Amino acid sequence: MASSRSEGSRKSKAGDPVANRQKQLEAFTQGPENQLTTNHGVVLPDNHNSLKAGLRGPSLLEDFILREKITHFDHERIPERVVHARGAAAHGYFELTRPLVEYTKADFLQEHGSRTPVFVRFSTVVGSRGSADTVRDVRGFAVKFYTREGNYDLVGNNMPVFFIQDAMKFPDLVHAIKPEPHHEMPQASSAHDTFWDFVSLMPESSHMLMWLMSDRAIPRSYRMMEGFGVHTFRFVNARGASHFVKFHWRPKLGKHALAWDEAQKLAGKDPDFHRRDLWEAIDRGDFPEWELGVQLIAEDRADKLGFDLLDPTKLVPEEIVPVTVIGRMVLNRNPENFFAETEQVAFHPGHVVPGIDFTNDPLLQGRLFSYLDTQLSRLGGPNFHELPINRGVCPMHNLQRGGMHRMTIQRGRVSYEPNTLANGSEFRVDGGEQGFQSMAEAMESPKIRRRSPSFDDHFSQATLFWNSQSAAEKEHLIAAFQFELSRVDTPAIRQRVVDNLAHVDARLARKVAEPLGIGPPDARAAAGRAGYREPRAKQMLEMAPSLSMETSGGSIATRKVAVLMAAGVELGAFKVIQQALVDAGATIKVVAAHLGFIASSSGQQVPIDHTFLNAPSVMFDAVLVPGGAAAAQALMQDGDAVHFVLEAYKHCKPLCLIGESVELLRAAGVPQADAPAPAGVILGTNEPTTRQQLGQDFIAAIGKHRHWSRALVELVPA
Ligand code: HDE
């Protein structure tokens, strides 16, 4: 049966406490019409003037209304998250399609079709709360399941591995990647000395650096990225038997990235790009969806993988252990209030339910301390579980009392256990078979502050990742390393990074080093440094196609297409293509030099959605330029229109140019514009017989997302 966000058995005769509370809150926040009150309900006489001694006299300390208002304002901010400060969230549900009774006793994974409410927060890691969305960074992917057995938080990222192997190094990593402490620069960027200094001395970061320099770090949309639990967890079934498990979220819309130049421009033109994209999609009913998949690994198979499952710098290739899809998650409701929900939500990897357990991954073990601890300073005390967004939907009963901002009013005098005074008979919680049972893992070992040698292989999965990328993805990786390292002032740091890269791939290291003004990469130098470990076991795979994003394609649903228009535009072919795009789920916006209307060649008035300046090409996935001699001429003479097309071309976006507008590409200076048409460029005429086909070709081109293999883009001056 589907669970709901009600308070279960806590319902009393007085009715549903959640609904009652909602009513109370509404009455509180809306108040009587056309009136404002103080926080204590006293009606305000005036919200414009403070209380003064005379019309031109000083304000009075007595003015409790002014003081309350200003005091509240002064305390409107809470500390932002130390990491993952910038985020956006949504409500939805998880629906189970493949019950896992044989693997786990978790209630929400038992019944086919059962739905569990969720709240999901996506985030960047490095930037502060107001930083731009599209920077190169890891993305957080944190899911709170409100299950009938308590809240379960799957606090993951959009990359399946991490920089470090032990929680001991997390503060160092974060200090290194955050803005440098003397001048607080750069904001939301890893392209600076301290980050590369640190990682160049920590070869265990090699695999994660490949992900961070890849297109995974610049997703097109939160709706188009994968999510991963990163650590190995355990499923435990009703008999107490355990399986290792890795979690995967797979976006229904495919996994897609921005171009790096596009991401940088978007950071200025629309710093809210991802936040807005998520909000608008949900608002118009295009509910984002992911499949939840699991990799199930029997305990006795763990030793045969060639790496240690407890090492969070390693992934389990899907080619070795396939992903079993067990359900889908749909996000269908935007938050009502950013602060109350998105800002105050408190995730914690330690929020687990019976049937899901931890492993000894030393990074995970450290996280189990950190997330609870951090809420004390962020949310001001130990009662943050009482905030509406954090409250569970199942009954809650314990003897914890008091603390900052306590909201629950507990009755009676008993706040200890065992007792007989609460209800007359002895109450004792003492062992037993019920409740959360930690997996009884056998342990006998010396206390030791050392790293396991099974964590020593720092490079072979980085190489696996490199080998699995397409030619274009490899070029993007090289360019990203070059860009980041060109911003590192200290040559010795640049050198150490490329020396390490020589252990990943010789060509990669050589290419990265080329423009950096340093010596050739030297693998031996890297091997001689502290922190380098000789790998003991080799990977089982040369290549894992699942690690490339270029395999992802298909639907064009929710992609944004810009249609460039000027007076005299021919609407014939456009209308047919427009219909085909809309039928396929794309969004179409007309962009022109001015707002208002444009007269077509047949005198029809076409409404304009945006101008070239307020909606530049980086805000769209594809560009369509209908024909018409006068319109094409006008566009060719408008520098902003020409730039729009050039930039879209440079970012490898699909373009469809019809009739006279074909000239636009050539006039704009696109090299070899039509001989033959470059990848993803559809050139057509206004001929009625070819219109349907044009539409289909354009849809197929948009389905491929970006045409990264497009030749000569480096010659395009945009
Ligand atoms: Fe986090 N991390 N983390 N982290 N993390 C936080 O918790 C921490 C790690 C992740 O949307 C903080 O409430 C330590 C891995 C996400 O609210 C903090 C270590 C992964 C979010 C914290 C890690 C993550 C956080 C900051 C190494 C991927 C945002 C505020 C031992 C599996 C959740 C907060 C949200 C947030 C600590 C490593 C994901 C400081 C100590 C690995 C998605 O507690």
Side-chain angles (χ1 to χ4, degrees):
M1 201 193 78
S3 51
S4 72
R5 280 212 75 186
S6 74
E7 297 211 332
S9 64
R10 268 174 294 177
K11 280 187 187 176
S12 69
K13 283 187 204 109
D16 178 349
V18 173
N20 288 349
R21 185 162 157 65
Q22 197 55 36
K23 269 190 228 140
Q24 226 180 35
L25 279 175
E26 274 162 24
F28 194 66
T29 50
Q30 286 164 10
E33 218 153 276
N34 298 329
Q35 270 186 358
L36 293 178
T37 73
T38 65
N39 284 339
H40 303 278
V42 174
V43 174
L44 262 53
D46 174 333
N47 193 33
H48 294 254
N49 298 295
S50 53
L51 189 68
K52 298 176 207 74
L55 274 180
R56 301 180 60 248
S59 298
L60 297 178
L61 188 59
E62 176 193 318
D63 190 353
F64 67 95
I65 295 176
L66 173 73
R67 278 190 290 116
E68 184 200 79
K69 185 174 178 182
I70 299 278
T71 305
H72 199 277
F73 168 77
D74 290 347
H75 298 269
E76 275 173 7
R77 297 288 176 275
I78 57 172
E80 65 173 35
R81 290 166 173 83
V82 185
V83 282
H84 297 266
R86 168 96 187 155
H91 295 271
Y93 61 86
F94 169 71
E95 185 178 87
L96 189 71
T97 52
R98 157 63 167 100
L100 287 173
V101 185
E102 69 273 38
Y103 295 105
T104 171
K105 60 184 174 193
D107 170 72
F108 78 109
L109 298 176
Q110 303 298 300
E111 222 172 296
H112 185 273
S114 70
R115 285 190 177 185
T116 305
V118 297
F119 187 67
V120 181
R121 183 172 179 272
F122 302 106
S123 49
T124 54
V125 177
V126 180
S128 38
R129 249 195 74 179
S131 58
D133 279 344
T134 57
V135 296
R136 176 175 296 283
D137 199 355
V138 184
R139 298 299 184 288
F141 193 128
V143 182
K144 191 179 282 295
F145 297 81
Y146 300 92
T147 91
R148 290 182 296 198
E149 293 178 309
N151 290 351
Y152 168 54
D153 292 353
L154 182 51
V155 197
N157 279 343
N158 75 330
M159 299 177 189
V161 289
F162 203 64
F163 295 94
I164 48 168
Q165 295 173 324
D166 192 305
M168 193 72 166
K169 296 312 296 167
F170 190 67
D172 297 297
L173 166 74
V174 175
H175 290 171
I177 200 168
K178 281 272 181 179
E180 299 188 11
H182 56 319
H183 54 27
E184 255 252 317
M185 290 190 278
Q187 176 58 241
S189 168
S190 51
H192 60 117
D193 284 49
T194 56
F195 174 65
W196 289 98
D197 186 26
F198 176 75
V199 291
S200 70
L201 299 168
M202 297 283 293
E204 70 199 55
S205 63
S206 303
H207 187 193
M208 183 63 166
L209 287 177
M210 300 297 290
W211 286 81
L212 186 66
M213 293 301 110
S214 81
D215 293 348
R216 300 273 182 159
I218 39 172
R220 157 64 180 84
S221 159
Y222 288 140
R223 302 175 294 127
M224 297 172 199
M225 64 184 200
E226 288 183 293
F228 302 91
V230 177
H231 313 280
T232 305
F233 291 89
R234 282 178 191 278
F235 272 157
V236 183
N237 69 15
R239 283 172 284 112
S242 142
H243 266 79
F244 291 121
V245 58
K246 292 267 188 188
F247 292 102
H248 294 241
W249 293 108
R250 289 174 161 174
K252 192 176 167 199
L253 294 172
K255 39 191 185 194
H256 300 293
L258 298 167
W260 174 226
D261 180 63
E262 180 188 15
Q264 287 177 291
K265 287 174 175 163
L266 273 171
K269 303 218 181 216
D270 186 6
D272 303 309
F273 187 72
H274 285 148
R275 181 181 281 197
R276 188 186 313 286
D277 168 273
L278 180 67
W279 180 279
E280 288 180 350
I282 294 174
D283 209 37
R284 63 172 185 262
D286 284 329
F287 300 140
E289 199 172 318
W290 287 260
E291 285 177 341
L292 178 61
V294 291
Q295 283 175 299
L296 297 160
I297 304 153
E299 298 233 359
D300 55 4
R301 194 165 172 206
D303 301 336
K304 303 181 189 92
L305 290 171
F307 56 89
D308 196 329
L309 269 184
L310 303 185
D311 173 358
T313 66
K314 304 293 186 298
L315 54 83
V316 181
E318 295 179 28
E319 288 74 5
I320 293 181
V321 180
V323 172
T324 307
V325 173
I326 62 164
R328 67 184 190 119
M329 177 171 76
V330 179
L331 298 183
N332 58 5
R333 184 160 64 86
N334 278 317
E336 300 280 340
N337 182 283
F338 186 91
F339 182 84
E341 300 175 89
T342 311
E343 193 60 10
Q344 294 200 120
V345 65
F347 291 96
H348 176 21
H351 290 157
V352 287
V353 289
I356 300 182
D357 210 335
F358 317 114
T359 57
N360 301 332
D361 171 344
L363 194 70
L364 174 60
Q365 295 283 320
R367 293 181 74 199
L368 295 178
F369 165 71
S370 177
Y371 287 69
L372 197 52
D373 181 51
T374 204
Q375 310 308 342
L376 299 180
S377 52
R378 216 169 66 71
L379 297 170
N383 287 319
F384 58 87
H385 61 281
E386 296 191 334
L387 294 167
I389 194 64
N390 294 325
R391 242 183 258 152
V393 297
C394 59
M396 204 270 280
H397 175 227
N398 64 38
L399 303 158
Q400 291 162 21
R401 292 291 185 271
M404 204 75 95
H405 313 307
R406 186 67 169 179
M407 282 169 249
T408 310
I409 299 173
Q410 276 137 331
R411 297 200 176 82
R413 58 176 165 162
V414 173
S415 56
Y416 56 89
E417 175 279 339
N419 70 70
T420 55
L421 292 181
N423 60 14
S425 54
E426 186 180 328
F427 173 66
R428 178 179 284 269
V429 178
D430 213 2
E433 296 298 304
Q434 283 194 330
F436 185 89
Q437 305 282 336
S438 289
M439 155 84 190
E441 192 183 357
M443 259 176 227
E444 194 178 333
S445 49
K447 208 184 275 179
I448 184 168
R449 197 181 284 281
R450 292 277 296 281
R451 194 84 48 103
S452 166
S454 56
F455 283 35
D456 276 357
D457 172 8
H458 295 155
F459 295 106
S460 46
Q461 285 212 346
T463 307
L464 174 69
F465 184 79
W466 170 255
N467 290 345
S468 308
Q469 302 301 292
S470 69
E473 285 173 322
K474 284 183 174 165
E475 291 310 312
H476 296 177
L477 257 157
I478 292 168
F481 270 111
Q482 289 174 339
F483 171 86
E484 296 262 322
L485 293 173
S486 71
R487 293 218 163 168
V488 170
D489 293 333
T490 313
I493 297 176
R494 303 202 287 266
Q495 186 71 52
R496 278 204 302 272
V497 175
V498 298
D499 292 349
N500 283 342
L501 282 181
H503 287 271
V504 179
D505 182 83
R507 185 176 90 88
L508 165 69
R510 217 173 37 247
K511 295 290 285 179
V512 170
E514 260 168 24
L516 295 179
I518 50 174
D522 183 353
R524 278 168 314 170
R529 290 192 189 112
Y532 175 85
R533 303 266 183 282
E534 206 53 55
R536 304 192 174 218
K538 279 285 165 202
Q539 284 300 303
M540 301 157 84
L541 277 183
E542 288 292 314
M543 246 324 255
S546 61
L547 302 180
S548 163
M549 290 210 283
E550 278 209 16
T551 48
S552 204
S555 156
I556 70 161
T558 79
R559 302 293 172 79
K560 286 180 83 177
V561 181
V563 184
L564 306 197
M565 286 197 187
V569 60
E570 277 259 6
L571 295 179
F574 160 69
K575 286 203 168 151
V576 176
I577 298 173
Q578 179 190 36
Q579 194 54 51
L581 291 172
V582 170
D583 290 348
T587 308
I588 287 158
K589 298 286 175 199
V590 176
V591 189
H594 56 81
L595 291 176
F597 292 86
I598 267 186
S600 76
S601 57
S602 61
Q604 196 179 327
Q605 292 292 312
V606 184
I608 310 300
D609 297 302
H610 299 293
T611 67
F612 297 127
L613 295 181
N614 78 16
S617 86
V618 288
M619 292 183 187
F620 296 93
D621 292 299
V623 181
L624 169 63
V625 194
Q633 199 57 35
L635 291 176
M636 273 189 276
Q637 280 161 15
D638 183 334
D640 294 327
V642 173
H643 181 75
F644 199 104
V645 171
L646 271 180
E647 199 174 47
Y649 183 88
K650 190 173 181 86
H651 296 154
C652 302
K653 293 176 180 174
L655 286 119
C656 179
L657 299 120
I658 303 168
E660 297 80 353
S661 65
V662 172
E663 283 298 314
L664 197 57
L665 265 194
R666 210 174 301 128
V670 167
Q672 298 175 8
D674 53 0
V681 176
I682 314 294
L683 303 175
T685 66
N686 244 315
E687 267 306 303
T689 51
T690 60
R691 289 172 183 173
Q692 291 288 355
Q693 190 56 45
L694 263 184
Q696 292 319 307
D697 291 349
F698 192 34
I699 287 174
I702 301 173
K704 292 201 170 123
H705 185 61
R706 302 290 153 91
H707 295 263
W708 301 125
S709 62
R710 185 173 288 166
L712 303 175
V713 281
E714 62 281 6
L715 300 183
V716 174

